[in-house]
């Protein structure tokens, strides 16, 4: 079955710097790659996703890139702010297979003012 | 606005007890999921359901069972709670053909 590896497990940056979180997946059939953000004490929420027919997607300060050949995808956050501090999870799935997601281990991002 | 609720935010149970965790969604979603969240391990899928009375095992089903008698409700059952089941349990739902999973607030279960 699918396996998703996420790195790093913790990341500390200064406010205004960029942050990059990387994931690899094992199942070449996976074609949907969402990212979830979980603030302390709150539920995970989708922040951005990408499907395998595109290589990059942007939404304001966040972007996701996908390399299907290498089975890598990454989350990029520019101009980080303290409110970006949270745990970020990547996931992979085969789209339209009932929404079943396989999550990575999570990255705890800390943005220092 | 999608709403997913879970029956308890915090629960303390004794070893050997039967434990019921309930999840209710109000958006008529077909698909529902139970995860456990542990530090450094991410979200691991326990069971999921594509329809009423249907269930499928996830990656870590041992020691758990589920029930889905109504479309909006998905219950996770710990038949005989053990200390290694102390964890945060998260329920989620999504519609068929949809992508985003909507999560409940979580139940932090402690088994002593």
């Amino acid at each position: 079955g699918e396996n998703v590896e996420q790195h790093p497990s913790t990341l500390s940056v200064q406010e205004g710097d960029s942050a990059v979180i990387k994931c690899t997946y094992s199942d070449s059939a996976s074609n949907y790659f969402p990212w979830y953000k979980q603030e302390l004490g709150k539920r995970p929420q989708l922040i951005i996703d990408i499907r395998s027919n595109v290589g990059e997607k942007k939404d304001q300060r966040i972007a996701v890139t996908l390399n299907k050949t290498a089975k890598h995808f990454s989350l990029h956050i520019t101009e980080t702010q303290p409110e970006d501090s949270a745990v970020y999870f990547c996931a992979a799935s085969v789209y339209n297979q009932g929404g079943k997601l396989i999550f990575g281990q999570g990255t705890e991002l800390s943005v220092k003012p | 606005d999608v709403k997913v609720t879970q029956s308890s935010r915090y629960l303390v149970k004794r070893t050997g007890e039967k434990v019921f965790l309930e999840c209710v969604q109000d958006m008529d979603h077909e698909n529902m999921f139970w995860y456990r969240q542990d530090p450094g391990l991410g979200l691991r899928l326990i069971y999921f359901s594509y329809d009423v009375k249907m269930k499928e095992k996830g990656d870590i089903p041992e020691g758990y069972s589920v029930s889905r008698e109504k479309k909006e409700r998905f219950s996770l059952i710990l038949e005989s709670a053990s200390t290694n089941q102390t964890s945060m349990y998260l329920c989620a739902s999504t519609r068929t053909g949809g992508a985003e999973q909507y999560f409940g607030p979580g139940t932090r279960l402690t088994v002593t």
Side-chain angles (χ1 to χ4, degrees), chain B residues 50-109:
Chain B
Y50 291 143
D51 201 352
V52 175
K53 297 194 186 296
M54 295 189 70
K55 60 184 178 184
E56 299 221 15
K57 293 180 180 179
D59 298 320
I60 52 165
E62 296 78 20
Y64 303 95
S65 62
V66 291
S67 174
R68 189 145 181 227
E69 296 296 318
K70 292 185 177 181
K71 190 176 185 179
E72 67 270 18
R73 189 180 299 268
F74 192 34
S75 301
L76 180 69
I77 304 154
L78 286 66
E79 296 291 342
S80 177
S82 64
T83 55
N84 63 11
Q85 292 178 311
T86 291
S87 187
M88 171 68 83
Y89 290 88
L90 287 162
C91 172
S93 73
T94 188
R95 62 179 174 81
T96 296
E100 180 173 0
Q101 286 196 11
Y102 295 88
F103 284 85
T107 296
R108 184 164 294 283
L109 173 67

Side-chain angles (χ1 to χ4, degrees), chain A residues 89 103-106, chain B residues 36-44:
Chain A
F89 294 98
F103 284 88
Q105 296 83 355
Chain B
R36 63 176 281 176
Q37 181 177 12
D38 300 288
L41 297 178
L43 299 165
R44 292 181 293 166

Side-chain angles (χ1 to χ4, degrees), chain A residues 9 11 21 36-40 81-89 106-111:
Chain A
S9 56
L11 181 59
I21 302 169
Y36 283 77
K37 175 184 180 182
Q38 186 179 28
E39 297 176 7
L40 189 63
Q81 300 168 3
E83 52 264 39
D84 295 328
S85 295
V87 178
Y88 291 81
F89 294 98
T107 297
E108 184 175 358
L109 173 65
S110 175
V111 180

